[in-house]
Amino acid sequence: MWKWIKLILKLGGFGLCLLLIWLVVAVGNLWWSMEHSVPQTEGTWTVKGVNAPVEVVRDQWGVPHIFAESQDDAYFALGWVTAQDRLFQLALFRQVSQGRIAEWAGPWEPVLRLDRFIRTFDFYGKGKEMLQKASPEMQQSMEAYYGGINEYLKQPELELPVELELLSWLGFEVEPFQLDDLSGMIGLMAMSLNSSWSKDRFFERLSIQVGEEAAQALFPLYWGGKPSVFPDSVVNISSHASESLPVAANSESQFPKSNPPQPQQTSNFSFSENDSWMASWQNWIGQGASNNWAVAPERSTTGHALLASDPHLGLNIPGLWYQAHLKTPDMEVIGVTVPGMPFVVIGHNTHIAWGMTNWSTDQGDFFIEKYAPLSPNKVRYQNEWIPMESRTETLKAWWHEETLTVRRTPHGPIVGDIIDASTYPGLPERTLLAYGWSFLEDPDANDLEGFYQLNHAKNWPEFRDALHLFSGISQNFVYADREGNIGLQVAGSLPKRISDGRRFLEGWEYSSQWQGFLHAKELPFMFNPPFGWVGSANNPTLSAEVPFPIPGYFAPGERMRRLIELMHSKDKLSPEDMQHIQLDSVFPLARDLAPIIVKVHEGLVLENAFHEIGLDLLRNWNGEFSVESKAATVFAYFDWKLHDAIFLDDLGEALSKEYRGYTSQGLFLQIMQGNQLGWLDNRTTEEVEDLGSVLREAFQKGMAQLVEDLGPTPEYWGWGEIHQLTLRHPLGLIPGLGGLFNIGPFPVAGHHSTLNRAGFRPGKWTVGFGATTRIVVDFSDLNASSGIIPAGQSIL
């Protein structure tokens, strides 16, 4: 294709005419493909690969309900219908998870960097290893699933989805799928949930900028906090586990109220820009956050257990989830799957239901590796010089080809090249930077097998057996069953550490080495707690008072605080209440802070009328970020400027921008409680700022920015005017194609810190992530359970 385009361009004006004709024909074919590539959902197919007739019933929302005589036939049919609806996504996931994106997108440096990143971690290889270690039953299910996908591809009159039709014009063909082709997706999903990959590097840069003591203060929830997932009175943990939990000192730190932290070293960090190549895949999968909870029968209006779950990830087209229902004589399961993996990730069978939120624990560490002066292929490890492993990867992109050499130490792959280790001043000479991550290093875990076992679990012990297999998919799993039991179990591989893993560790030191891993059965759980419900919202696992620390980059707990309020707002809760809680858009901190903002302005002569309008909107506001709320917009602009007022002078522009969000909210909560007040004083001014002056400055600057952006008419200040969602398709990024492939924009309610989560960047405001599915399971009538995904089953 490319050689023909080059030839046409060499022909001058005549060639340009030919090129124009080619483009017109191409656009015509595009429209034709969009009209004719809709999946066929009625009729009968005679296919090879099934042992008995299989019935697939599509409901009014396009969800396939599969009725088969055996599990193999059910998984075969699931592969078939997934290929019908998501063939482009299957092909895309294969390219992404194997680090072959440039083969499609071309040799753009951001794309090549992403391919190098994926190849360095070898998600594909780790996935194949898990498949090889999986049970024969799990492997057989996968073989049946991929058999269905490939049988669909053999149709003589197969109409390719429009995306693959476009790619075919560039010479790409959809190859049959191998059993392990998409096994790397499990690693890619795990990395998207792994906060330590970015947060540990950020902590290192903060420590260089402001000193380690101040950096610890900037992460006040790393060792726990309240509200925690497990109230102190109901923490359950295996009796032997506390002896083997990670050992590290509690890192609470406070500055004198009149002595803000001083920078130890100034540095123009531009790491967030260097990392922008990673944002592309993180936007499509999203960095995990979520809500989940379960209600016991005595707290339920139905007299049976209820369960709710809504994972917060990237909101795009195609969405991550594919809904499906499979029923055989010995199995029935329904929920959301990931295209390429046949097992339900969130959902229920006839015995149990489960939901997930990201655990947010620290599962990885960076290691500074010292290499031998005369032998740079050896690193110092446990008083010996150990040879590094090495492998070669070939990256191809249209006319470009390059070789990538991946080196590996006993701790993990060398990552200094893909993250530009030169950004970190002070690294010793003759050292390399490696990354140790439990997903790659834990030999006893198998997340793929864990999902298979989870789908077939029938009770709490079998549920915990399945979760014990998880490593990188580290989650707070909530549980409910038809017998009326509820529970919550932490799952994932947690390294046993001697050192604090936030700083870069010296790989040659004994104190840096991990001492093994903890798994689900050695980690906290709750089962039928006395207060009648369990839940989590990415908040700290345990309170700081619990003697065995579980480190992590946890959310500050505003969603959990609101969940606690709503769970105790009634004696009994209905399935409809569960849905209403999922859609709740009240931000407790905003609700509490609004009257304080008003109070600190009492008695003052206001600079202009807009300040009074803003204060009037905040008076008696309930903190709800509804689409219509003008007060929500006023608060959002205030919050934007509040962060700068507190942190910009100490951190500088780049680090302050990166610190914005959940982490800074955690420290601000401490400031509101009278702690860490040294951060309030702006060291670039002569006067000493206090909380009142900082709140006034942030409000007034926020109002000035709001009027500049939205105009002087409050009628146009509604939250939905700026807080909008567009579901974006990969091809929608191409100029001129956004209108064909993207959906939106839609005004949406919610905030980062509301149960109805709708994340945005201040100043841009467009929503990038939120609930990618919502389920409510009612064991009084499983057929009355509900589930939804934003963009539907198919993407056309």
Side-chain angles (χ1 to χ4, degrees):
M1 174 61 67
W2 298 111
K3 66 180 181 180
W4 289 109
I5 293 178
K6 291 179 182 178
L7 177 60
I8 289 173
L9 293 176
K10 288 181 180 179
L11 295 177
F14 178 69
L16 289 176
C17 289
L18 290 177
L19 181 59
L20 180 60
I21 293 171
W22 179 84
L23 287 173
V24 171
V25 173
V27 172
N29 283 337
L30 172 62
W31 279 106
W32 188 91
S33 297
M34 293 185 73
E35 290 291 327
H36 291 82
S37 60
V38 177
Q40 179 183 348
T41 57
E42 295 182 359
T44 301
W45 290 271
T46 301
V47 300
K48 297 180 180 179
V50 293
N51 300 309
V54 179
E55 183 181 15
V56 179
V57 178
R58 297 267 190 166
D59 63 24
Q60 60 182 311
W61 299 284
V63 177
H65 300 261
I66 298 169
F67 302 89
E69 294 301 317
S70 68
Q71 289 190 32
D72 286 352
D73 285 355
Y75 287 125
F76 181 98
L78 179 59
W80 175 284
V81 296
T82 302
Q84 276 190 306
D85 291 327
R86 302 289 185 89
L87 185 57
F88 166 68
Q89 189 174 26
L90 289 167
L92 175 65
F93 281 177
R94 173 163 56 186
Q95 298 297 120
V96 173
S97 63
Q98 295 184 17
R100 298 168 52 197
I101 310 169
E103 293 179 12
W104 278 12
W108 299 352
E109 184 58 23
V111 174
L112 289 170
R113 294 184 74 175
L114 182 51
D115 278 350
R116 294 179 196 125
F117 169 83
I118 293 170
R119 299 287 186 97
T120 296
F121 282 97
D122 194 19
F123 299 131
Y124 178 47
K126 184 64 175 180
K128 288 199 297 184
E129 178 186 322
M130 288 184 174
L131 277 176
Q132 292 166 359
K133 293 181 178 179
S135 64
E137 296 81 6
M138 185 273 194
Q139 293 178 353
Q140 187 171 327
S141 299
M142 293 284 287
E143 289 171 357
Y145 177 77
Y146 279 97
I149 294 173
N150 289 328
E151 191 66 23
Y152 178 78
L153 291 175
K154 294 177 183 178
Q155 292 181 86
E157 298 181 359
L158 174 67
E159 294 289 349
L160 290 175
V162 62
E163 304 96 333
L164 294 178
E165 185 69 30
L166 284 171
L167 288 168
S168 71
W169 301 347
L170 302 177
F172 298 105
E173 296 182 1
V174 183
E175 302 171 352
F177 286 83
Q178 304 300 315
L179 179 64
D180 55 19
D181 264 0
L182 276 77
S183 61
M185 275 301 297
I186 196 74
L188 198 61
M189 291 169 62
M191 178 56 84
S192 75
L193 302 170
N194 175 24
S195 56
S196 73
W197 167 253
S198 59
K199 290 295 194 296
D200 278 2
R201 289 179 284 133
F202 181 52
F203 187 84
E204 181 72 15
R205 298 195 303 281
L206 281 173
S207 297
I208 294 170
Q209 176 80 356
V210 301
E212 186 169 350
E213 184 181 11
Q216 290 173 352
L218 289 164
F219 286 87
L221 299 175
Y222 184 78
W223 294 110
K226 295 180 179 180
S228 60
V229 172
F230 297 93
D232 296 354
S233 61
V234 296
V235 174
N236 297 292
I237 196 163
S238 301
S239 59
H240 64 280
S242 59
E243 301 175 2
S244 59
L245 276 160
V247 179
N250 191 304
S251 300
E252 285 193 16
S253 172
Q254 293 195 11
F255 294 101
K257 295 182 181 180
S258 60
N259 183 24
Q262 300 296 318
Q264 293 186 343
Q265 177 177 349
T266 59
S267 175
N268 295 322
F269 291 109
S270 58
F271 192 86
S272 59
E273 295 179 4
N274 292 340
D275 238 10
S276 61
W277 54 275
M278 289 184 61
S280 57
W281 70 267
Q282 287 180 337
N283 285 342
W284 292 104
I285 294 182
Q287 290 189 310
S290 308
N291 311 311
N292 63 11
W293 61 90
V295 176
E298 62 269 22
R299 294 288 317 280
S300 165
T301 59
T302 69
H304 293 75
L306 303 173
L307 181 141
S309 183
D310 55 297
H312 306 155
L313 301 165
L315 290 167
N316 302 285
I317 302 173
L320 178 63
W321 306 116
Y322 183 77
Q323 293 176 306
H325 172 207
L326 286 73
K327 184 174 183 179
T328 72
D330 57 355
M331 177 191 75
E332 184 172 10
V333 62
I334 186 170
V336 292
T337 68
V338 175
M341 188 174 74
F343 313 121
V344 168
V345 178
I346 298 173
H348 68 87
N349 57 34
T350 54
H351 302 275
I352 73 168
W354 62 93
M356 302 157 62
T357 71
N358 197 29
W359 186 12
S360 303
T361 191
D362 188 346
Q363 291 188 287
D365 291 329
F366 287 88
F367 293 87
I368 304 170
E369 307 284 22
K370 182 188 298 183
Y371 61 85
L374 301 179
S375 183
N377 290 322
K378 293 183 177 181
V379 294
R380 193 70 175 172
Y381 178 72
Q382 294 186 349
N383 296 321
E384 296 183 54
W385 292 104
I386 305 295
M388 286 187 286
E389 300 174 6
S390 179
R391 72 176 192 278
T392 300
E393 299 274 350
T394 301
L395 280 67
K396 298 179 180 180
W398 298 354
W399 59 83
H400 174 86
E401 184 172 311
E402 68 177 58
T403 299
L404 173 69
T405 300
V406 179
R407 295 172 294 173
R408 200 178 197 286
T409 78
H411 297 116
I414 296 295
V415 297
D417 294 335
I418 61 173
I419 66 169
D420 188 8
S422 65
T423 312
Y424 301 89
L427 289 181
E429 294 184 4
R430 295 201 306 274
T431 60
L432 302 167
L433 194 62
Y435 184 64
W437 179 29
S438 60
F439 176 78
L440 296 180
E441 306 308 317
D442 185 353
D444 299 322
N446 191 325
D447 301 68
L448 290 174
E449 177 71 22
F451 278 118
Y452 175 81
Q453 299 290 348
L454 181 59
N455 278 223
H456 293 80
K458 295 180 175 62
N459 50 48
W460 174 253
E462 292 181 7
F463 171 77
R464 296 189 73 209
D465 286 343
L467 299 194
H468 200 68
L469 296 169
F470 281 86
S471 59
I473 307 296
S474 58
Q475 301 286 303
N476 295 301
F477 282 84
V478 293
Y479 168 94
D481 65 30
R482 65 180 182 182
E483 305 301 326
N485 300 302
I486 63 169
L488 191 152
Q489 173 69 64
V490 175
S493 298
L494 179 62
K496 301 178 189 177
R497 296 180 176 92
I498 299 174
S499 299
D500 186 333
R502 285 175 290 183
R503 292 299 303 267
F504 288 2
L505 303 175
E506 296 177 335
W508 57 90
E509 292 290 345
Y510 171 78
S511 61
S512 300
Q513 311 312 317
W514 292 353
Q515 311 298 310
F517 301 91
L518 299 174
H519 303 99
K521 291 183 181 179
E522 302 155 325
L523 293 169
F525 68 92
M526 283 188 288
F527 188 65
N528 292 333
F531 41 83
W533 71 279
V534 296
S536 64
N538 315 115
N539 49 309
T541 306
L542 302 170
S543 72
E545 289 82 8
V546 175
F548 36 89
I550 293 182
Y553 296 102
F554 303 109
E558 287 300 286
R559 283 184 287 123
M560 189 65 177
R561 182 152 72 103
R562 181 59 175 167
L563 180 60
I564 292 170
E565 291 176 359
L566 294 174
M567 296 301 285
H568 293 281
S569 63
K570 295 182 177 181
D571 292 334
K572 294 182 181 291
L573 298 160
S574 69
E576 292 74 24
D577 290 328
M578 303 293 96
Q579 295 178 355
H580 293 155
I581 292 172
Q582 289 178 333
L583 297 174
D584 184 82
S585 296
V586 172
F587 179 9
L589 177 61
R591 178 193 60 198
D592 298 344
L593 196 52
I596 299 176
I597 299 170
V598 174
K599 185 175 182 179
V600 298
H601 284 86
E602 288 179 354
L604 298 180
V605 178
L606 300 176
E607 292 183 10
N608 57 58
F610 295 115
H611 292 171
E612 185 59 47
I613 292 173
L615 293 172
D616 281 342
L617 289 170
L618 293 179
R619 287 187 179 93
N620 302 316
W621 178 50
N622 65 354
E624 183 178 7
F625 278 74
S626 64
V627 169
E628 300 82 11
S629 176
K630 301 176 181 64
T633 305
V634 170
F635 186 88
Y637 272 87
F638 155 79
D639 192 36
W640 178 12
K641 301 303 179 182
L642 177 65
H643 178 92
D644 292 342
I646 298 176
F647 301 112
L648 188 59
D649 62 312
D650 296 307
L651 304 184
E653 184 174 352
L655 289 179
S656 176
K657 181 179 179 181
E658 193 170 352
Y659 183 62
R660 184 187 302 277
Y662 264 165
T663 310
S664 61
Q665 187 184 111
L667 180 54
F668 183 71
L669 285 167
Q670 288 209 347
I671 292 173
M672 291 295 295
Q673 295 166 2
N675 302 315
Q676 305 288 359
L677 297 181
W679 292 97
L680 292 173
D681 185 32
N682 187 339
R683 58 188 179 86
T684 66
T685 64
E686 293 184 1
E687 62 270 20
V688 178
E689 286 80 7
D690 58 14
L691 181 60
S693 61
V694 168
L695 294 179
R696 286 190 292 271
E697 176 191 350
F699 173 77
Q700 292 166 16
K701 287 185 175 180
M703 288 303 303
Q705 187 70 57
L706 186 156
V707 173
E708 179 181 337
D709 291 350
L710 305 182
T713 307
E715 179 183 351
Y716 301 109
W717 294 0
W719 184 230
E721 296 285 338
I722 59 173
H723 190 246
Q724 299 186 346
L725 167 66
T726 296
L727 297 170
R728 301 187 185 278
H729 188 282
L731 295 187
L733 300 174
I734 300 174
L737 295 184
L740 293 176
F741 290 98
N742 298 338
I743 302 177
F746 307 103
V748 293
H751 183 276
H752 298 304
S753 299
T754 58
L755 290 168
N756 180 18
R757 195 164 187 234
F760 58 89
R761 292 181 180 178
K764 190 175 181 181
W765 309 116
T766 53
V767 177
F769 58 89
T772 51
T773 184
R774 293 188 176 102
I775 70 164
V776 174
V777 180
D778 178 5
F779 273 98
S780 72
D781 181 4
L782 287 176
N783 289 325
S785 300
S786 59
I788 190 171
I789 52 178
Q793 285 293 91
S794 185
I795 60 173
L796 293 176

